[in-house]
Amino acid sequence: MVAAGAALADEVGLANLTMGLLAERLGVRTPSLYKHVVGQDDLNRRIAALALSQAADAVGGAVQGYAGRDALAAAARSFRAFVLEHPGRYAATIGVEPSGPDDPVAAAGLRLLGAFTAVLRGYQIPESEVDHALRMLRSLCHGFATLQAANGFQWSVDIDESFEWLIAFADRGLRAV
């Protein structure tokens, strides 16, 4: 049911996902969904955990065997592709806070963070700067991908060329730390 909700969120947007719409998609009555989730907020949290886990798998798999700029490029491209392919489920991850260490959102979020932390190992980032570097990478990748998913780049310059420019810019910045 959560996977169906995530797929539907990708189609219609997270803001338009309702229990009624999901029930209709699944061919059941809305009250039947409450056997599986407490309500809309619970469904959205479960979609967020699924999305974080899938993004962690994608980014973690992409960086295997790479270091430095190659790992950075693989992680950034993989993350961007995930957001573009799954905009609704990715939207569920924004601002969701884990309820505790055993929350699936926490575990999946830490896995995704771990994949990006692995990228930073290819750079000589002082331990005291790692959190800042992670926030920079998240901001760059999230910002670019969500703007692209929302059709926010409407001028004539090639979007892929701009993304590669962003990767090169981040690489230069990480090398300068």
Side-chain angles (χ1 to χ4, degrees), residues 23-36:
E24 182 180 314
R25 171 63 58 93
L26 293 173
V28 300
R29 296 187 52 184
T30 303
S32 299
L33 298 179
Y34 292 93
K35 294 177 185 173
H36 305 282

Side-chain angles (χ1 to χ4, degrees), residues 34-55:
Y34 292 93
K35 294 177 185 173
H36 305 282
V37 294
V38 175
Q40 187 72 48
D41 288 343
D42 185 34
L43 175 63
N44 290 354
R45 286 185 68 72
R46 290 172 188 240
I47 291 171
L50 174 67
L52 287 167
S53 182
Q54 291 172 332

Side-chain angles (χ1 to χ4, degrees), residues 150-168:
N151 199 26
F153 300 125
Q154 297 181 10
W155 51 92
S156 63
V157 175
D158 181 81
I159 293 172
D160 292 333
E161 187 179 324
S162 294
F163 192 71
E164 293 304 314
W165 191 93
L166 177 134
I167 291 168

Side-chain angles (χ1 to χ4, degrees), residues 14 36 86 112 114 125 129 137 143 152 155 174:
L14 183 68
H36 305 282
H86 305 292
L112 181 56
I125 308 289
E129 303 289 319
L137 286 178
W155 51 92
L174 290 169

Side-chain angles (χ1 to χ4, degrees), residues 89-177:
R89 71 186 69 189
Y90 178 70
T93 70
I94 307 305
V96 66
E97 292 190 31
S99 61
D102 295 334
D103 186 338
V105 168
L110 285 174
R111 286 184 46 236
L112 181 56
L113 190 63
F116 278 101
T117 301
V119 169
L120 295 179
R121 288 189 200 108
Y123 296 91
Q124 295 182 350
I125 308 289
E127 188 63 35
S128 63
E129 303 289 319
V130 168
D131 284 345
H132 303 303
L134 286 168
R135 287 182 179 134
M136 181 272 300
L137 286 178
R138 168 127 195 255
S139 297
L140 289 177
C141 293
H142 163 83
F144 195 100
T146 55
L147 281 169
Q148 184 179 357
N151 199 26
F153 300 125
Q154 297 181 10
W155 51 92
S156 63
V157 175
D158 181 81
I159 293 172
D160 292 333
E161 187 179 324
S162 294
F163 192 71
E164 293 304 314
W165 191 93
L166 177 134
I167 291 168
F169 180 81
D171 177 61
R172 286 190 305 271
L174 290 169
R175 289 182 191 286
V177 173

